[in-house]
Amino acid sequence: MQAKKRYLLVSVVAGLLFLIYLWALQIGEFPQQHQYPHTPYHYQSHQQRQQDVYQSQPLPQKVPSRPARRWPESTELLEPYLEGGEQEEDSPQLHHQHTSPRERRAICNNIYKNKRCRMETCFDFARCQSGFRVYIYPPQRGDSISETYQKILTSIEESRFHTTDPSRACLFILAVDTLDRDQLSVQYIQNVRTRIHNLPTWNDGRNHLIFNLYSGTWPDYTEDLGFEVGQAMLAKASADVANFRPNFDISIPLFSKDHLLKRGATGYPTLNDAPPFRKYQLVFKGKRYLTGIGSETRNALYHVHNGDDVILLTTCKHGKDWEKHKDSRCDRDNRDYSQFDYQELLHNSSFCLVPRGRRLGSFRFLEALQAACIPVILSNGWELPFSEVIDWRKAAIIGDERLLLQVPSITRSVGRDRILALRQHTQFLWEAYFSSVTKIVLTTLEIIQDRVESHVSRNHLLWNSLPGGLYALPQYSADPAQFPFYYAVLGKNPSQRFTAVIHMVSPLQSHISPVVKLIIAVAKSKFCAQIVVLWNCDKSLPPKNKWPSTSVPLSVVEGQTKTMSSRFLPHDDIITDAVLSLDEDSVLSTNEVDFAFIVWQSFPERIVGYPARSHYWDSSRSRWGYTSKWTNDYSMVLTGAAFYHRYYHYLFTHYVPASLRTMV
């Protein structure tokens, strides 16, 4: 009996000691409130917001108790939520299988030490006082540059922004290839950090732009670049909103090494697109991942695939050791995958699913745009390409990865008119900004230029309407009504008068010469405001009395250069929207002039004129040729007798590369 009592007493004492031990641990882990008088900024702001909400309701009286438990001091995990808006709890990007939260925070902090960078705080506008010029560092001996990065550098070198003088540069581009920062890639460049920090004008990255397509490596694919970007702007594919610095970084699309430098591939609109009937409603064909971080969405696509009008195909057959990790569905998936042609699916579906893969972006995005297949984006946390200026709601369906099963019903609820409008806008965006590497690079630079020269930046209309922001130069005007492309959208009509510009290279012989007859016929037009004669003749100017008298002002201007293209310079004498470009030997009646101008008023963004030509491929000479033979077809209108908007003079002078103008 005594033994039982001793055993019971020992048990009670042990239990009490255990409770005391747990209480001590609890006290150590959650300190009292007064021990931390200086709360972190972000946590304090969050707490204040909670108080603001609760103040609208009376608080119930409670019996005082021990101080509330506190969050740990570190707030790194709270920063993305507080700065970038609400985070998705189950975002795949945040759930890595092979790195701890501390390691992920260390990677993020190492790359984005200047996460609060904005143009006002991390960009030196004083460097841009002489204009927006871009300088590319000279390559160092032994530099290995990928074909894709060389395309980017070539696009900049051939642009109107490029300068070879670093003292005139507003923006600096690295010669070091930073596109592929996957350490397992053969194109991964070593010692990038040392090389860029040794640059004479690096200055912690200020006024620098870094291009990147791939970051991180298997199996976690974090946003680790392997070096600190400092205050440099990132033009990055698969940009995560948690790390993206708004109005500072630029999200670019992921594009392949086969993406053309110039003259990008055209889209795929067809004549039977109205009404927009297509064989399939929703399609996808791509990899699904069995190991490492990937897309849970792709692994669940078989639930939505119906084999009829919703074709969602995945394959496990990729990588060297895929068979070691294959699951019970792999064989069936691989078999179905091989039965459909990807291009046939793309061009015969109204909607194309664009789920995230290893990274947030994928090649499927641009492939869908090109095929006029409306992208259905399932990639939570992805900052869409050029989202600073492009309204993606006009061209895509932006969904939620957690609501995959609702996607088919969502696409079926979109009406035919809306489908047609979305598909038309995919073609506009593809042609305007994504069809070539040059357009992607120029769009990036134009966005930065708009930030630098904010007083003349493009507005939302110019970026999201034909022909796109690349062709609407804000230096010409910040008013969309001054461009020929937006008259219909704004409900505006071009001016009711025109200026005739006659190009002369021959001396004025007599009052019966063809040019005199032309001046008289044009001056009689009720729409003519003035006539400007561009004198490019080697002879001296004739006296004023040699020119015919007209009812409209007649001025003679000596050409700046004795070239045919000098007629396309933006002469100050031209004050009307419409320009009638004429060769000295053109033969037109007043009625023909009036008729052409009336037609032009309905199409102010086009060239409207009389001398038409057709181009053709001359197989015997293996080159293009053109003919003036009268046929039912024509592909160009010559400027020997044609109306067009004066804005094209500005485009020719300031948009066309100098090398091309020299060739002309």
Side-chain angles (χ1 to χ4, degrees), residues 58 91 164 169 263 322 326 330 387 422 445 458 477 539 612 635:
S91 172
T164 57
R263 298 177 60 188
W322 69 273
K326 62 184 293 188
C330 277
S387 56
L422 288 168
L445 296 180
R458 303 164 182 82
S477 176
K539 304 293 184 179
S635 58

Side-chain angles (χ1 to χ4, degrees), residues 111-129:
I111 303 169
Y112 299 97
K113 286 185 177 180
N114 294 277
K115 190 174 181 179
R116 298 180 183 276
C117 268
R118 300 296 183 266
M119 295 295 289
E120 297 78 12
T121 58
C122 296
F123 192 88
D124 184 6
F125 288 88
R127 278 192 168 274
C128 309
Q129 292 180 354

Side-chain angles (χ1 to χ4, degrees), residues 218-483:
W218 190 91
D220 299 307
Y221 295 93
T222 64
E223 295 207 318
D224 184 13
L225 299 179
F227 63 93
E228 301 169 8
V229 299
Q231 300 181 44
M233 290 179 282
L234 271 178
K236 188 179 186 304
S238 303
D240 190 337
V241 294
N243 298 320
F244 185 79
R245 297 169 291 183
N247 297 316
F248 191 74
D249 293 334
I250 295 179
S251 177
I252 63 175
L254 182 65
F255 57 93
S256 72
K257 61 181 178 61
D258 298 323
H259 210 58
L260 297 179
L261 171 63
K262 300 178 183 177
R263 298 177 60 188
T266 58
Y268 292 94
T270 56
L271 296 178
N272 60 352
D273 281 347
F277 290 118
R278 279 192 166 186
K279 181 178 180 180
Y280 302 111
Q281 178 72 15
L282 177 68
V283 300
F284 172 77
K285 188 177 182 182
K287 302 175 183 177
R288 71 179 178 91
Y289 306 105
L290 302 173
T291 60
I293 186 173
S295 173
E296 286 114 7
T297 301
R298 294 195 182 195
N299 291 332
L301 292 182
Y302 73 98
H303 291 295
V304 184
H305 169 79
N306 64 15
D308 183 19
D309 65 341
V310 177
I311 308 297
L312 307 178
L313 307 169
T314 60
T315 180
C316 313
K317 196 174 181 180
H318 56 88
K320 297 180 180 179
D321 55 351
W322 69 273
E323 291 185 289
K324 296 180 182 179
H325 306 283
K326 62 184 293 188
D327 56 25
S328 58
R329 293 200 335 267
C330 277
D331 290 336
R332 180 178 178 180
D333 286 352
N334 294 341
R335 183 173 60 254
D336 293 343
Y337 187 87
S338 62
Q339 293 177 358
F340 289 85
D341 178 74
Y342 178 55
Q343 294 298 324
E344 192 269 340
L345 289 175
L346 272 180
H347 301 145
N348 289 280
S349 180
S350 297
F351 297 89
C352 286
L353 197 67
V354 183
R356 62 155 290 156
R358 294 294 198 192
R359 300 173 177 88
L360 292 173
S362 74
F363 295 138
R364 299 294 177 267
F365 181 68
L366 288 189
E367 292 167 351
L369 281 184
Q370 182 182 6
C373 188
I374 303 166
V376 180
I377 301 169
L378 297 181
S379 184
N380 293 3
W382 183 22
E383 184 75 22
L384 295 181
F386 304 137
S387 56
E388 182 177 337
V389 297
I390 293 178
D391 184 0
W392 283 108
R393 295 171 299 177
K394 294 183 176 182
I397 304 295
I398 303 174
D400 191 318
E401 292 180 74
R402 299 169 298 183
L403 304 178
L404 170 64
L405 298 182
Q406 298 182 14
V407 169
S409 60
I410 291 174
T411 59
R412 296 186 198 283
S413 68
V414 182
R416 292 180 179 177
D417 291 344
R418 177 65 176 158
I419 289 176
L420 181 60
L422 288 168
R423 291 184 57 210
Q424 288 174 336
H425 212 70
T426 63
Q427 294 302 278
F428 156 62
L429 293 178
W430 168 259
E431 295 289 348
Y433 306 119
F434 300 107
S435 59
S436 67
V437 175
T438 295
K439 287 189 176 180
I440 293 174
V441 172
L442 289 180
T443 302
T444 302
L445 296 180
E446 295 278 5
I447 290 174
I448 298 175
Q449 184 189 29
D450 276 6
R451 297 173 183 171
V452 173
E453 302 175 357
S454 57
H455 60 289
V456 291
S457 61
R458 303 164 182 82
N459 63 18
H460 187 269
L461 174 65
L462 271 58
W463 282 108
N464 291 277
S465 303
L466 284 167
L470 297 186
Y471 297 107
L473 302 185
Q475 292 76 20
Y476 174 77
S477 176
D479 181 9
Q482 299 299 318
F483 295 90

Side-chain angles (χ1 to χ4, degrees), residues 553-590:
L554 173 66
S555 57
V556 182
V557 179
E558 288 197 78
Q560 298 177 12
T561 58
K562 302 297 183 180
T563 60
M564 295 292 290
S565 60
S566 62
R567 69 169 75 186
F568 304 127
L569 298 177
H571 299 286
D572 295 334
D573 299 81
I574 301 174
I575 58 175
T576 59
D577 292 336
V579 175
L580 173 58
S581 177
L582 295 166
D583 288 340
E584 62 182 351
D585 57 352
S586 298
V587 179
L588 289 178
S589 67
T590 304

Side-chain angles (χ1 to χ4, degrees), residues 507-518:
L508 186 62
Q509 299 292 343
S510 64
H511 286 284
I512 60 172
S513 62
V515 69
V516 172
K517 295 180 180 179
L518 179 63

